[in-house]
Amino acid sequence: MNLYRRNKLSGYLPIIIPVIIYHGVSEWTFSREFEDYFEIPHESFRVFIPKFRHLLHDITHMADEAFKTSILMEIFHLLFKYIHFPELDIKLQEIFDLLEQLPDEDKRKEYLFNILKYVLASGPLSRARVTQLTRRFPGGEDMVGVAAQEMLKDLEQTRRPYWEGVGELKATQDTLVDLATELYGPLPGILQVKIKSIQSIENLRALNRKIIRTESLNEFTELVDRAAEN
């Protein structure tokens, strides 16, 4: 690989091929053009947006035969494709059949545990049904209980604080935009973008306090510029 880079790349960057692996219920309807995911405040910004397409693997609508290249590939294809559908009951049994073919017992247990966490968190099957299907593995029933406890612990420790933080940040940004609009009328689009780019709640709260002492939109814009840089 190093020899290839020396002889072929000649100082150029290697090609990066972006891939989206999608397994939602409905078909993927979004653009495959990267630039379409940006909200451009002015056409002058368009030259700074990279232009490339991403490859799409819409697993839900791909044939199962396309993934029969290895045991692991087939396992995770079946899992992702049917996770939202009632057919998961049958497919989970097929997944377990494949899992039993893995020669490494430690890896088999590791994959089983992660599969159980994912199925319990996102699948349509009840815990009782998952437990029933998992009894074929030694200690499978206990593993379901441990997976369920760990899943709930993860949700408690990470998901709630994250979304609470996101909600508080957005509310503080919206409050600042509303207050500035009341004082100076509709804000320029680029100014709203700068306010939305500020990720520090403390800086946003400081701006909410300082805005009432500003005498012009230009003065407020300067405060926003400084806050956005920090």
Side-chain angles (χ1 to χ4, degrees):
M1 179 60 72
N2 290 334
L3 180 63
Y4 176 82
R5 287 177 177 171
R6 287 199 301 270
N7 294 339
K8 300 297 183 181
L9 294 180
S10 301
Y12 291 98
L13 294 173
I15 295 175
I16 298 175
I17 302 177
V19 179
I20 289 181
I21 299 176
Y22 174 69
H23 61 103
V25 176
S26 58
E27 291 190 20
W28 182 267
T29 57
F30 302 98
S31 173
R32 297 191 188 184
E33 303 293 338
F34 185 69
E35 63 180 325
D36 291 340
Y37 291 90
F38 290 86
E39 182 178 357
I40 304 175
H42 189 272
E43 280 301 309
S44 59
F45 287 87
R46 190 173 294 278
V47 296
F48 300 106
I49 298 177
K51 295 181 181 293
F52 59 80
R53 291 169 59 87
H54 62 258
L55 298 179
L56 174 66
H57 286 279
D58 190 346
I59 293 179
T60 307
H61 300 90
M62 295 175 69
D64 294 348
E65 289 73 18
F67 291 85
K68 291 185 177 180
T69 56
S70 70
I71 292 176
L72 284 180
M73 181 69 76
E74 191 171 357
I75 284 174
F76 288 103
H77 163 69
L78 291 173
L79 182 63
F80 291 149
K81 181 171 183 177
Y82 295 100
I83 188 63
H84 301 298
F85 300 96
E87 292 89 342
L88 181 65
D89 191 301
I90 297 174
K91 296 302 177 179
L92 190 58
Q93 299 176 59
E94 295 181 21
I95 289 171
F96 287 169
D97 289 341
L98 291 165
L99 200 58
E100 288 180 328
Q101 297 179 34
L102 295 177
D104 189 324
E105 183 178 354
D106 291 336
K107 285 293 184 182
R108 186 164 61 243
K109 290 180 179 178
E110 178 184 344
Y111 291 136
L112 175 61
F113 186 71
N114 289 323
I115 288 169
L116 290 175
K117 285 181 64 177
Y118 185 50
V119 168
L120 290 170
S122 305
L125 304 182
S126 67
R127 177 174 169 178
R129 179 55 179 161
V130 174
T131 301
Q132 182 182 8
L133 294 173
T134 312
R135 287 195 179 110
R136 63 194 289 180
F137 296 98
E141 185 171 354
D142 293 335
M143 191 177 290
V144 172
V146 175
Q149 291 177 2
E150 187 168 315
M151 179 192 67
L152 292 174
K153 182 179 178 181
D154 290 345
L155 289 173
E156 184 67 25
Q157 291 182 348
T158 61
R159 191 172 183 179
R160 183 185 299 171
Y162 171 77
W163 287 113
E164 287 177 352
V166 170
E168 184 178 3
L169 178 65
K170 185 178 185 304
T172 310
Q173 292 169 339
D174 290 343
T175 298
L176 182 59
V177 170
D178 291 343
L179 183 56
T181 301
E182 286 292 324
L183 289 173
Y184 300 117
L187 303 183
I190 187 61
L191 181 56
Q192 294 191 43
V193 171
K194 286 182 179 179
I195 292 173
K196 299 293 184 180
S197 73
I198 300 173
Q199 299 298 300
S200 169
I201 292 180
E202 290 73 19
N203 288 349
L204 289 165
R205 287 173 177 166
L207 285 171
N208 273 295
R209 294 191 299 269
K210 293 177 180 178
I211 189 175
I212 59 175
R213 297 194 296 272
T214 59
E215 297 180 356
S216 67
L217 181 60
N218 287 338
E219 184 180 351
F220 172 65
T221 301
E222 291 177 1
L223 292 176
V224 172
D225 287 341
R226 288 199 292 269
E229 293 174 357
N230 297 328

